[in-house]
Amino acid sequence: MAENIGKRLEKKEPKQTKKPGRLTKQQKWLLAAAIVLAAVLLAVVAWKSVFVKPELPGGTKPDGTQTENGIDYGDGVQPRVSGQRKSEDDYTVLILGRDTGGGGNTDTMLLASYDITNQKATVMSIPRDTMVNVPWDIKRINSVYNYYGGGEKGIKALYKEISQLVGFEPDYQVIVEWEAVGKIVDAMGGVYFDVPRDMNYEDPVQDLSIHQTKGYRLLSGDDAMQVLRYRHDNRKNGKMLGYPDGDLGRIKTQQGLLKAMIEQLMSLKNITKVNEFIKVFNENVETDLSFQNMLWFAKQAFLGNDSGAKLDTAQVNFVTMPNKNVSCYSRTVGNMQSYVTPIASELLELVNSELSPFVEPSTMSDLDIMSVNSDGSVSSTTGHVEDSKAAAAPVISSGKKDEPAKDYDMDSNGNLIDPDTGEVIAPSETETGSDTPATEPTTPQEPETGGSDASTGGENGSGSGETPEEPDNSGIIVVPTEPTESGGSGTQTTDPVTGEPLPPEA
């Protein structure tokens, strides 16, 4: 019996199926690391697809007058387009504010330089009344866009004038509908700003109503747009209140409001609103930068560059183009017009120290700076004036020179607009479907024999005893009339289409 028990004890237990071996602790760590690495790689790929660094325009300028932007500079200066940069990531951007409520005028022009390597930025405002070297009579820079019919042609023409003004072509351009600023302010939940003065202006023609009270408060998008658009009150009892320094005061207010927006946009609460800002961008911005490029700039500023340095708002310098006030006689409307002209030496210093991305400094010969001479003629630092008539001393009707300078706007058809009444005061022909500007200058027919003729009093009299009609660059025909009682000669402007006399300037 004992023997049987022993046999049973010796009997082996049946074999069980072997379970798969469990991962060791080391294997688990390796697997986790692989998963994390894959996730990081995917995140990096996604991150890079969202933030795309823009490529700087490169290469040398092609032979001839055509640049990489397809702009013909003709007899004007050829702005710099390439060269060694001051830092690896130094960009320039031309920012244009287009006001659809004001006929599409580009009254807001900003040239921005952003040195990402050293995290500093300069934004220069270019006054709307800046005199530029153009072939038509009233030479304000804000007229260029509409004179060439707006759109791509208008932008290229304006880009050309600004490039010649500073001596280099900006790397990129951004065209913003002014309404976008109001929409961004609304998306932010408002912007706190100290409105510098009471503002009251009504313009039914532009459907513009401005009523703002002086003081620090939270502005809505509509409030912000009113503050940005304001120039002066309506005329009352013969007086028109506004900024003491005119459009320069408006520029200071715009700079202050934009800086306040930048400071408040950088707060954490606005990071979560990126989708709203993207929508505003897509609907209101035209640019040769991609949206991923714009996000890359924002990343460099808010999150830091390769060395971790961020853009402090204290390093964003808002300046206005150095300038002085001048007046110049207009053949088109027969009175003095107000302008600003750059102070050439100060602008050149600003270009070289703050704006130009290139190591090689610009010289005066690289700029096209206009000035008004003591005899009323205009000059350019290039030695070439596009408007040959303006290069000569003007013949001014009696009493006109002593009238106060007036500031005319231009609508989307290139017509001059009286800022007080909103009425068209100088109709011009608009050509469509051609390569010519919206208001093509009329070229006078040169007489076969030059010289003056005493019988006519005209500069190019034909000797026939008749005074020729003198077409000027606006398309308005100026017809000399009988001498006035004061001894001077009067002028009568006529509509180039109907031939009917236009009403005299109020």
Side-chain angles (χ1 to χ4, degrees):
M1 184 169 181
E3 189 178 273
N4 293 336
I5 293 173
K7 289 180 179 179
R8 287 198 297 268
L9 290 172
E10 290 175 2
K11 192 176 181 180
K12 294 182 179 181
E13 295 291 330
K15 291 184 178 182
Q16 295 181 352
T17 305
K18 190 176 181 180
K19 295 182 178 179
R22 293 184 178 180
L23 294 175
T24 64
K25 184 178 289 188
Q26 184 179 10
Q27 289 173 325
K28 289 179 180 178
W29 278 110
L30 288 173
L31 180 60
I35 293 172
V36 170
L37 181 60
V40 169
L41 289 173
L42 288 173
V44 169
V45 171
W47 183 268
K48 287 187 175 181
S49 67
V50 171
F51 302 98
V52 179
K53 180 179 178 178
E55 294 184 5
L56 286 168
T60 57
K61 193 185 308 179
D63 294 336
T65 57
Q66 295 295 321
T67 72
E68 290 154 340
N69 286 312
I71 295 175
D72 185 353
Y73 287 93
D75 295 326
V77 296
Q78 299 285 332
R80 185 172 300 165
V81 296
S82 62
Q84 182 183 352
R85 302 240 168 185
K86 294 174 182 176
S87 71
E88 181 181 354
D89 293 322
D90 199 343
Y91 294 84
T92 56
V93 181
L94 176 62
I95 304 168
L96 304 173
R98 184 168 54 199
D99 189 355
T100 54
N105 286 329
T106 50
D107 280 355
T108 301
M109 289 160 278
L110 306 171
L111 180 59
S113 172
Y114 182 17
D115 181 352
I116 293 172
T117 305
N118 298 301
Q119 288 294 21
K120 59 176 293 188
T122 299
V123 182
M124 183 180 77
S125 295
I126 300 172
R128 67 190 292 276
D129 295 336
T130 300
M131 179 183 283
V132 287
N133 199 355
V134 291
W136 57 91
D137 177 34
I138 298 183
K139 307 179 187 306
R140 294 192 185 95
I141 195 169
N142 76 317
S143 70
V144 173
Y145 175 78
N146 277 334
Y147 184 88
Y148 283 93
E152 183 178 355
K153 288 171 66 177
I155 289 298
K156 279 191 174 183
L158 184 56
Y159 185 91
K160 168 187 172 182
E161 296 303 329
I162 291 176
S163 297
Q164 291 184 315
L165 194 66
V166 297
F168 66 89
E169 287 189 358
D171 299 320
Y172 298 101
Q173 58 193 24
V174 176
I175 305 139
V176 183
E177 303 292 350
W178 260 126
E179 284 78 0
V181 178
K183 292 177 181 178
I184 290 174
V185 170
D186 282 334
M188 292 168 57
V191 60
Y192 284 95
F193 182 66
D194 190 3
V195 180
R197 59 173 293 116
D198 290 339
M199 302 175 176
N200 294 285
Y201 181 75
E202 292 284 342
D203 185 353
V205 176
Q206 296 187 44
D207 192 24
L208 181 60
S209 179
I210 298 175
H211 296 286
Q212 295 293 318
T213 304
K214 178 181 179 181
Y216 183 81
R217 66 183 192 279
L218 182 67
L219 302 183
S220 67
D222 183 57
D223 291 331
M225 290 308 305
Q226 291 183 35
V227 171
L228 287 171
R229 284 189 169 122
Y230 175 80
R231 292 175 61 199
H232 53 71
D233 288 0
N234 293 103
R235 191 180 298 277
K236 184 181 294 185
N237 299 325
K239 295 182 179 180
M240 188 166 62
L241 300 176
Y243 294 113
D245 47 356
D247 195 55
L248 298 180
R250 182 196 195 199
I251 287 175
K252 292 175 186 175
T253 298
Q254 290 178 344
Q255 290 176 345
L257 181 54
L258 292 175
K259 192 163 188 177
M261 286 180 62
I262 291 171
E263 291 173 348
Q264 294 168 50
L265 268 171
M266 293 176 73
S267 66
L268 289 175
K269 70 172 186 176
N270 284 311
I271 294 177
T272 60
K273 300 176 180 178
V274 64
N275 287 335
E276 296 177 61
F277 298 141
I278 289 174
K279 182 179 179 183
V280 173
F281 177 89
N282 288 335
E283 293 177 351
N284 298 277
V285 175
E286 298 175 18
T287 178
D288 47 4
L289 289 163
S290 69
F291 187 70
Q292 288 84 352
N293 293 154
M294 303 286 277
L295 289 178
W296 184 84
F297 280 122
K299 173 180 173 291
Q300 304 305 306
F302 299 154
L303 301 181
N305 58 17
D306 292 341
S307 63
K310 300 177 184 178
L311 179 65
D312 191 313
T313 52
Q315 296 300 314
V316 181
N317 185 25
F318 280 90
V319 298
T320 301
M321 181 193 75
N323 66 86
K324 60 182 178 181
N325 294 310
V326 298
S327 295
C328 187
Y329 185 73
S330 164
R331 306 183 303 270
T332 304
V333 293
N335 67 4
M336 300 301 289
Q337 294 291 299
S338 59
Y339 295 91
V340 299
T341 55
I343 301 175
S345 59
E346 294 182 19
L347 176 58
L348 184 62
E349 171 62 25
L350 182 61
V351 166
N352 286 328
S353 62
E354 302 287 339
L355 294 171
S356 174
F358 301 112
V359 171
E360 184 182 351
S362 296
T363 64
M364 195 60 68
S365 62
D366 296 319
L367 311 184
D368 189 346
I369 306 295
M370 299 295 288
S371 59
V372 180
N373 303 315
S374 58
D375 64 356
S377 61
V378 301
S379 297
S380 165
T381 53
T382 66
H384 174 75
V385 176
E386 293 286 338
D387 179 4
S388 59
K389 291 185 179 180
V395 178
I396 301 175
S397 302
S398 175
K400 293 290 186 179
K401 189 173 183 178
D402 296 328
E403 292 182 2
K406 201 165 185 179
D407 186 3
Y408 289 92
D409 289 322
M410 183 176 283
D411 69 9
S412 56
N413 292 321
N415 298 317
L416 293 176
I417 302 294
D418 190 311
D420 297 335
T421 66
E423 296 178 353
V424 174
I425 58 104
S428 58
E429 296 183 68
T430 302
E431 296 186 13
T432 58
S434 69
D435 293 331
T436 56
T439 49
E440 180 69 13
T442 304
T443 304
Q445 296 294 323
E446 295 292 338
E448 293 182 2
T449 57
S452 60
D453 187 301
S455 66
T456 65
E459 192 173 297
N460 291 318
S462 62
S464 64
E466 297 180 0
T467 303
E469 295 181 344
E470 179 191 359
D472 76 345
N473 284 343
S474 67
I476 302 300
I477 298 175
V478 181
V479 184
T481 58
E482 293 295 324
T484 61
E485 292 181 0
S486 60
S489 61
T491 61
Q492 174 65 62
T493 57
T494 62
D495 188 308
V497 179
T498 65
E500 294 295 325
L502 291 173
E505 170 65 22

